[in-house]
Amino acid sequence: MAQSNLYSRVLGTGSYLPPNRVTNQDLADRLAKQGIETSDEWIVARTGIHARHFADPDVTTSDLALIAAQRAIESADIDPQTIDLIVVATSTPDFVFPSVACLLQDKLQIKNGGAAFDIQAVCSGFAYAVATVDALIRSGQHRTALIVGAETFSRILDFNDRTTCVLFGDGAGAVILQASDEPGVVASALHADGSYTNILCTPGHVNGGIVAGSAFLHMDGQAVFKLAVNVLEKVALEALEKANMSPDQVDWLIPHQANIRIMSHTCRKLGLPQERMIVTVGEHGNTSAASIPLALDFAVRDGRIKRGQNVLIEGVGGGFTWGASVIRY
Ligand code: UT7
């Protein structure tokens, strides 16, 4: 039975970036060998990205998720055996199945039979996971949840396509959410419009034991840009309205880290000073479902985000999907 005074609260955060840091110049040199021109100047001016991290070939999404999860568990100071729900937001899972969440449960040696599943909402995956897990905790069905956004997008990048391969990176971010009589996640809003499949997709699929179709990420950047700026402002305001809050009560905005131009636009539209936005896109690139929890963990650990502050997270991505949550940290 749902209890009206039951909330889910962030107990701890963690994140992990694989050590291989690839600068724009590194990428420009690599592409030049294939006769493709790009530059640090173009990438910085159009996206705000200076570098991204790529996982080594034998490292999987669940490997990145494991380290982020261990760090979140440590910061929450809980016994991992009390985690009764694991949700991993990813579009680059280790396998077709089982889910990364199940692999992670095993890697963490959690033996309590709790639930584990993946959420596939691309760059909105973490926002989708927070809203879903919050509902499962508020209903009383689960008490202590591990949410991870983890990606190895480098695996689906076409390094012959300069319009996409310079944008994305690998990484993982995690949070522990636990039932509490204090908020917590205050309100969330989620949306999707499946008619936009073609502007952002990785259409390859397994058929007859082989990958049929392109397994590379395809994006119409300008179409995505236009849609993103439109829906991000709306969904942020929707979540704030549900939380009975106005934008000036937001201490920190954590947008999905895709492009500094999109992020700054939303921040301006909400009337927030740019200093109240957490920005990691410059060093992480776009890590899809991992970008928000990575940024959250960085800002918690460097002391910017403090207990009691209001954090607005928002994401947009393939599907098309978009979502936002207001979280009292
Ligand atoms: O995470 C999911 C959500 N994803 C996003 O939010 C991404 C949204 N889109 C974007 O961030 C931007 O549209 C991009 C960063 C992808 C592109 O920026 P843009 O300002 O929209 O550039 P554009 O696509 O209009 O391209 C401008 C020019 C083109 O050349 P011409 O046609 O003007 O001669 C491109 O061919 O820049 C060229 N170009 C490049 N030049 C150097 C495209 N990619 C590159 C590159 N290096 N890597």
Side-chain angles (χ1 to χ4, degrees):
M1 258 276 285
Q3 296 167 33
S4 58
N5 60 344
L6 190 59
Y7 298 94
S8 66
R9 199 160 165 260
V10 178
L11 276 197
T13 65
S15 64
Y16 178 68
L17 289 165
N20 180 22
R21 179 177 179 269
V22 179
T23 65
N24 292 344
Q25 193 55 51
D26 294 334
L27 271 185
D29 293 345
R30 174 174 176 177
L31 267 55
K33 288 187 193 135
Q34 297 152 214
I36 299 169
E37 200 188 319
T38 189
S39 64
D40 178 52
E41 293 71 30
W42 190 94
I43 302 169
V44 172
R46 300 288 174 138
T47 70
I49 297 168
H50 295 267
R52 74 288 294 141
H53 291 246
F54 285 163
D56 288 343
D58 59 339
V59 172
T60 64
T61 294
S62 69
D63 293 329
L64 305 183
L66 174 64
I67 301 175
Q70 285 167 331
R71 290 176 177 172
I73 290 166
E74 197 187 331
S75 89
D77 196 19
I78 56 162
D79 175 357
Q81 301 306 326
T82 61
I83 294 170
D84 58 6
L85 174 64
I86 300 176
V87 175
V88 176
T90 187
S91 298
T92 46
D94 298 28
F95 304 138
V96 173
F97 67 82
S99 65
V100 175
C102 283
L103 300 175
L104 182 60
Q105 188 199 50
D106 184 50
K107 287 185 178 189
L108 286 165
Q109 295 186 3
I110 294 175
K111 308 276 185 203
N112 58 12
F117 63 92
D118 287 358
I119 281 186
Q120 215 278 44
V122 203
C123 302
S124 313
F126 187 75
Y128 264 66
V130 166
T132 304
V133 168
D134 177 52
L136 287 169
I137 289 178
R138 282 185 168 193
S139 73
Q141 195 166 328
H142 293 275
R143 194 179 149 69
T144 304
L146 164 64
I147 306 178
V148 187
E151 303 280 14
T152 45
F153 256 57
S154 60
R155 305 284 153 75
I156 56 169
L157 295 179
D158 178 357
F159 287 95
N160 289 304
D161 176 8
R162 68 175 183 175
T163 68
T164 53
C165 74
V166 300
L167 305 175
F168 295 89
D170 302 338
V175 301
I176 302 289
L177 277 189
Q178 192 173 65
S180 167
D181 51 13
E182 303 266 323
V185 179
V186 187
S188 301
L190 298 178
H191 296 283
D193 184 340
S195 68
Y196 288 102
T197 302
N198 290 340
I199 63 171
L200 182 50
C201 58
T202 299
H205 57 281
V206 178
N207 189 357
I210 56 162
V211 176
S214 169
F216 287 130
L217 178 151
H218 297 269
M219 180 167 73
D220 175 347
Q222 285 194 3
V224 172
F225 195 107
K226 279 187 202 134
L227 206 77
V229 292
N230 181 30
V231 298
L232 282 173
E233 184 199 352
K234 282 191 188 143
V235 78
L237 290 173
E238 184 187 347
L240 284 169
E241 195 181 324
K242 281 185 173 179
N244 268 322
M245 282 168 56
S246 57
D248 60 5
Q249 290 172 278
V250 174
D251 295 295
W252 296 105
L253 172 66
I254 309 186
H256 166 50
Q257 313 274 318
N259 185 323
I260 191 68
R261 288 154 58 210
I262 298 174
M263 295 161 60
S264 297
H265 178 92
T266 315
C267 192
R268 246 191 330 272
K269 284 285 203 177
L270 292 173
L272 292 173
Q274 300 287 318
E275 306 77 61
R276 273 200 247 166
M277 179 168 67
I278 306 295
V279 180
T280 50
V281 68
E283 275 300 305
H284 300 179
N286 181 347
T287 58
S288 193
S291 91
I292 293 172
L294 264 162
L296 171 66
D297 184 53
F298 270 63
V300 165
R301 283 176 194 259
D302 70 21
R304 274 178 293 172
I305 297 181
K306 296 181 181 62
R307 286 288 172 197
Q309 290 186 324
N310 295 318
V311 179
L312 172 62
I313 65 165
E314 54 165 18
V316 60
F320 238 77
T321 55
W322 60 100
S325 284
V326 179
I327 301 168
R328 186 151 318 136
Y329 180 71

